[in-house]
Amino acid sequence: MLGDTSFDDGAGGDRPGRRALILVENLSVPFDRRVWQECTTLRDAGWTVDVICPRGTARDTEAEAEIDGVRIHRYPLRAATGGPAGYLREYGAALWHTVRLARKVGPVDVVHACNPPDLLFLPALWLKRRGARFVFDQHDLIPELYLSRFGRGKDLLYRAVCALERMTYRAADVVLATNESYKDVAVHRGGRRPADVFVVRSAPATDRFRPVPPEPGLKCGKPHLLCYLGVMGPQDGVDYALRALAKLRDDLGRTDWHAVFVGSGDAFDAMVELSRRLGLSEQVRFTGRIPDSDLVRYLSTADVCLSPDPRNPLNDVSTMNKVLEYMAMGRPIVSFDLREARVSAGDAAVYAPANDEAEFAALVAMLLDDPELRARMGKTGQERIGGQLSWRNSQRSLLAAYAAACRDHTPVSAGAPFRTGRRPRR
């Protein structure tokens, strides 16, 4: 439970029968850590929680599951390929399955939709007409994502995603923003009142990210281990990290390191090929997705962790989960100089000028030569995760958002029929 947090304002708790339905399209649950933390927070506050999400590939593969009191309804979904037409197919299938499963769940008090994409306001509106309140959980700024990922400029599709974002803001009763930069967008671009936007930061699960004794064998005979953890998409900067490592070896003469890249994504194969072209295959290992136990072993052994996200319209204002996870593990970080990277990491990272691979390499070398600085930075990161960036603070904000959404809202009866808008058959 959440200590002195009060639920008498309508967030749930002392009002039995409150039900929340969380809609996710981007990841399966509980693999989506932020969504899972929100689920368990609401559950502990007395809510009945259902989730609709796609099935995973290696995990979260069951169509139906109940995990720790949270009911999860999953649908099959093939990831987009082939450009805009592929995304239309993916999103169309996701919307159809979401509505189908929402009818199965029945009446809810809150529908909580997590982007991307900015299309889930459509089933949310359908549920809103049936008595639900709509909480929009903005994980990504889709217009900025479009500009950063596709490089097509402000074309017709860009204007379309801006229109979808506006419609989502307009439909929502309250908005959850992952940081203050996203809140500014909701207020100034989305026209939302500041009182209707709640900052719910992502935070590592401390029971998952807990250091264990380092294993020198993971360094493959080298004195130092460098580690990257995260998604490998076109905007995530793995190519910047690889080119910086090539400069670390060729320009700075450093061969006293081994690097491991943990994670996957649609740029994974291209990054493995780039590593080969740069002659890094002997010093760089790509693991793909690995079990948590192995991930913790690598992070506990790493001397320096890499956050190579280049500056672009999305990355500059986004909070990177990997930065928070490195900090939870007490690892020093090399990052490019991004606005929200500094907000999150503070003195737990050193910052290269945006997209400057040579300076990124130089900062890696500097940290490898200064174990005392690495230790201080790691301690700073852990203190920040345990303090101002802890999930406890986000829990309070999440519950305050639900209280605001449900103010003056009569709970939906668990036994009420789910109105479809059709006349009953005779």
Side-chain angles (χ1 to χ4, degrees):
M1 299 302 288
L2 301 173
D4 59 357
T5 303
S6 172
F7 306 116
D8 293 337
D9 50 9
D14 63 329
R15 296 192 180 187
R18 290 286 196 186
R19 298 191 68 191
L21 173 61
I22 300 182
L23 310 180
V24 189
E25 193 275 348
N26 194 41
L27 290 172
S28 63
V29 176
F31 180 72
D32 189 319
R33 176 177 50 76
R34 173 187 171 88
V35 172
W36 185 244
Q37 287 175 306
E38 290 172 332
C39 290
T40 55
T41 295
L42 292 168
R43 176 207 63 199
D44 289 347
W47 286 76
T48 297
V49 182
D50 288 81
V51 181
I52 296 175
C53 65
R55 293 182 194 172
T57 52
R59 56 179 291 180
D60 301 343
T61 56
E62 304 90 349
E64 300 280 340
E66 181 167 333
I67 303 174
D68 296 338
V70 176
R71 290 190 287 269
I72 305 172
H73 315 264
R74 305 190 184 108
Y75 54 84
L77 187 66
R78 187 172 62 182
T81 56
Y87 283 97
L88 286 175
R89 286 192 296 271
E90 175 188 336
Y91 296 156
L95 289 173
W96 184 85
H97 284 296
T98 297
V99 172
R100 174 180 64 84
L101 292 169
R103 289 170 60 88
K104 178 180 177 181
V105 170
V108 296
D109 296 282
V110 169
V111 53
H112 176 150
C114 309
N115 80 333
D118 283 343
L119 285 167
L120 292 177
F121 78 94
L122 294 170
L125 274 177
W126 180 70
L127 289 163
K128 193 172 179 180
R129 293 192 191 102
R130 287 153 179 80
R133 295 296 174 89
F134 175 24
V135 173
F136 172 41
D137 192 350
Q138 190 165 29
H139 293 189
D140 284 309
L141 299 175
I142 304 304
E144 282 76 5
L145 175 61
Y146 181 84
L147 292 174
S148 302
R149 185 180 179 96
F150 297 109
R152 297 164 57 116
K154 297 183 179 181
D155 60 1
L156 180 61
L157 283 175
Y158 171 80
R159 293 194 292 274
V161 298
C162 288
L164 291 172
E165 183 189 68
R166 286 194 299 273
M167 286 187 277
T168 303
Y169 281 136
R170 192 176 301 125
D173 292 292
V174 300
V175 176
L176 307 183
T178 57
N179 58 40
E180 293 292 341
S181 295
Y182 277 35
K183 180 174 181 175
D184 286 344
V185 171
V187 171
H188 296 108
R189 189 165 78 198
R192 300 304 312 230
R193 297 186 311 140
D196 293 331
V197 185
F198 296 80
V199 175
V200 177
R201 291 184 173 275
S202 297
T206 53
D207 58 341
R208 178 187 180 199
F209 290 94
R210 184 173 298 167
V212 298
E215 299 180 31
L218 297 178
K219 300 183 179 184
C220 295
K222 301 291 185 176
H224 302 296
L225 179 67
L226 312 177
C227 190
Y228 171 91
L229 163 65
V231 177
M232 299 185 190
Q235 73 276 12
D236 294 306
V238 176
D239 54 334
Y240 283 81
L242 292 171
R243 289 190 293 267
L245 294 183
K247 292 180 182 297
L248 180 65
R249 179 197 61 193
D250 299 336
D251 298 350
L252 301 179
R254 300 293 296 258
T255 59
D256 56 345
W257 53 270
H258 177 72
V260 61
F261 284 70
V262 179
S264 189
D266 51 10
F268 180 87
D269 292 337
M271 294 302 98
V272 173
E273 173 59 20
L274 176 59
S275 176
R276 186 194 64 78
R277 292 202 310 271
L278 292 171
L280 293 171
S281 298
E282 296 299 317
Q283 283 185 269
V284 173
R285 182 187 176 203
F286 290 84
T287 68
R289 288 178 178 169
I290 59 177
D292 285 355
S293 57
D294 290 333
L295 168 62
V296 168
R297 290 169 57 228
Y298 279 114
L299 289 177
S300 297
T301 305
D303 296 286
V304 176
C305 287
L306 310 177
S307 183
D309 307 86
R311 179 180 290 168
N312 59 38
L314 179 67
N315 290 346
D316 197 40
V317 295
S318 296
T319 300
M320 304 302 173
N321 284 336
K322 59 179 166 286
V323 169
L324 304 174
E325 289 159 355
Y326 296 156
M327 292 163 64
M329 294 294 293
R331 302 297 94 188
I333 304 161
V334 178
S335 171
F336 287 123
D337 195 356
L338 307 178
R339 184 195 319 176
E340 284 295 333
R342 282 190 177 272
V343 171
S344 295
D347 292 336
V350 290
Y351 303 92
N355 308 353
D356 186 334
E357 296 160 0
E359 186 60 24
F360 194 98
L363 289 175
V364 172
M366 182 268 290
L367 287 180
L368 293 181
D369 290 336
D370 195 335
E372 293 183 359
L373 176 59
R374 296 201 306 267
R376 288 199 303 273
M377 291 170 63
K379 183 178 180 181
T380 296
Q382 288 183 314
E383 289 172 349
R384 289 175 66 81
I385 291 296
Q388 66 191 89
L389 299 179
S390 74
W391 179 244
R392 292 188 302 275
N393 295 329
S394 290
Q395 285 178 313
R396 297 186 185 99
S397 187
L398 173 65
L399 296 175
Y402 266 64
C406 291
R407 191 167 292 124
D408 301 323
H409 177 255
T410 302
V412 175
S413 170
F418 197 50
R419 301 185 301 276
T420 64
R422 299 175 181 174
R423 290 185 178 180
R425 293 183 179 179
R426 296 185 181 273

